Every structure is written in structure tokens, then in C-alpha cells.
């Protein structure tokens, strides 16, 4: 019985857990570091996706990446915030998953990532999957099955 449940949870698609794109704070290619920092601070998130106009994902930008970039030898070089763009600092290697990917794959990728970017078959960004929602599902699963 337990094995059947285990298989089902691991093989289910992640679609239902995804925070949809219209609820995801993001920035666009060409945005200044100044704008990105504003989005990050106002949203309270440590990192957000960088998209193009067609909603394809190009990278992730974080407060840490921006602050590292403007860190000079003697002072913070704040002028760089207006002079430089997100593509100059963004992280371009990051895990991404198709919306029909399995929960097992999401669980594996989330070990090293607080959130995963989800895209459709055409490569268009559809939302994110957070480690929090993955863990919440695992917790509910164990709670429901702990006496079986
Ligand atoms: P949480 O699980 O809510 O702590 O989120 C973990 C990380 O996922 C945050 O630090 C953000 O980088 C990202 N994140 C979560 N929700 C959103 C959202 N609505 N928009 C953009 N990024 C998000």
C-alpha cells in the first residue's frame, strides 16, 4: 500500500504546485541593476527570474549578485546601479523544469535551490516551484501515511 502511494507522489506532475507567472516577481533583460534591486527589496525575495519580452527565462538575479558587483575596493560603487544591466550580473546556470516534469525530479533539484523555474514545451516561463511547497507536500504525505 505504502509503495503505491510513494510511486504516485513521486511520479505526479508538478503543475498543481507551481506559483503562476502573474504572481511571480521578475525583471526583464535590459533592466538596470537599480530597478532589479528595487524589485528585490520591495518583494522581499532574495532572487528573481530574468525574462525577455517573450517570457523566456535567461537567468536569475539576486541581491547578493548585485551587491557583489558594486562592491569596490574602498567603497560601494552605487553609480554602477544605474550604469549596468541585469544581464551583466545574472546567474545563467540554474535548474529549470518542464511543467509536466515529475515531483521526484523537482525534489531532487530543490536540494540545492530555494526555487525552480518552470517552463512549457515551447520554453516559455510559466512560473516557479518553491522548496517550501515541495517540502509542504512531502510533510503532508508523511503525516497522512505515518500509521500505515
Ligand atoms: P519561499 O519559499 O517563499 O521562502 O521562497 C523562496 C524563494 O523563492 C524566494 O527567496 C524567491 O527567490 C523565490 N520566490 C518565492 N515566491 C516568489 C514570487 N512570488 N515571486 C518571485 N520569486 C519568488
Amino acid at each position: 500500500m505504502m509503495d503505491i502511494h510513494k510511486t504516485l507522489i513521486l511520479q505526479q506532475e508538478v503543475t498543481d504546485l507551481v506559483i503562476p507567472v502573474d504572481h511571480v516577481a521578475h525583471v526583464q533583460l535590459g533592466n538596470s541593476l537599480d530597478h532589479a534591486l528595487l524589485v528585490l527589496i520591495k518583494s522581499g525575495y532574495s532572487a528573481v527570474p530574468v525574462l525577455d519580452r517573450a517570457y523566456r527565462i535567461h537567468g536569475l538575479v539576486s541581491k547578493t549578485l548585485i551587491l557583489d558587483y558594486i562592491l569596490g575596493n574602498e567603497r560601494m560603487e552605487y553609480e554602477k546601479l544605474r550604469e549596468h544591466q541585469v544581464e551583466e550580473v545574472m546567474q545563467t546556470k540554474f535548474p529549470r523544469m518542464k511543467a509536466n516534469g515529475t515531483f521526484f525530479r523537482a525534489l531532487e533539484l530543490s536540494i540545492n535551490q530555494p526555487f525552480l523555474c518552470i517552463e512549457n514545451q515551447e520554453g516559455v516561463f510559466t512560473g516557479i516551484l518553491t522548496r517550501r511547497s515541495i517540502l509542504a507536500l512531502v510533510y503532508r504525505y508523511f503525516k497522512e501515511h505515518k500509521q500505515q
Side-chain angles (χ1 to χ4, degrees), residues 128-141:
I128 61 167
L129 185 56
T130 62
R131 188 190 282 152
R132 182 199 296 266
S133 61
I134 292 171
L135 281 180
L137 187 69
V138 171
Y139 171 75
R140 281 201 303 276
Y141 171 79

Side-chain angles (χ1 to χ4, degrees), residues 9 15 31 35 39 64 67 101 105 108 124 130 146:
I9 187 185
T15 322
N31 284 165
H35 175 76
V39 170
T64 308
L67 293 177
R105 180 69 180 140
E108 183 184 17
V124 175
T130 62
K146 69 180 175 188

Side-chain angles (χ1 to χ4, degrees), residues 19 23-26 44-49 114-115 128 130-133:
I19 298 175
H23 289 105
V24 177
H26 66 272
Y45 298 126
S46 45
V48 293
F115 71 97
I128 61 167
T130 62
R131 188 190 282 152
R132 182 199 296 266
S133 61

Side-chain angles (χ1 to χ4, degrees), residues 14 96-102 117-124:
V14 294
R96 44 175 66 183
M97 270 187 67
K98 295 289 183 203
N100 63 357
T102 62
C117 291
I118 310 296
E119 50 195 2
N120 66 16
Q121 295 304 324
E122 288 75 46
V124 175

Side-chain angles (χ1 to χ4, degrees), residues 15-80:
T15 322
D16 293 346
L17 299 175
V18 173
I19 298 175
V21 55
D22 25 319
H23 289 105
V24 177
H26 66 272
V27 295
Q28 287 204 336
L29 288 178
N31 284 165
S32 66
L33 297 182
D34 199 34
H35 175 76
L37 198 54
L38 193 79
V39 170
L40 286 160
I41 292 171
K42 276 196 158 184
S43 66
Y45 298 126
S46 45
V48 293
V50 180
L51 308 179
D52 64 19
R53 283 169 182 268
Y55 275 71
R56 289 191 163 73
I57 322 160
H58 290 255
L60 304 178
V61 68
S62 66
K63 288 174 193 153
T64 308
L65 284 170
I66 296 176
L67 293 177
D68 274 354
Y69 191 73
I70 67 166
L71 181 67
N73 285 334
E74 312 248 311
R75 65 179 188 91
M76 298 299 278
E77 296 168 352
Y78 292 111
E79 62 283 3
K80 279 186 167 177

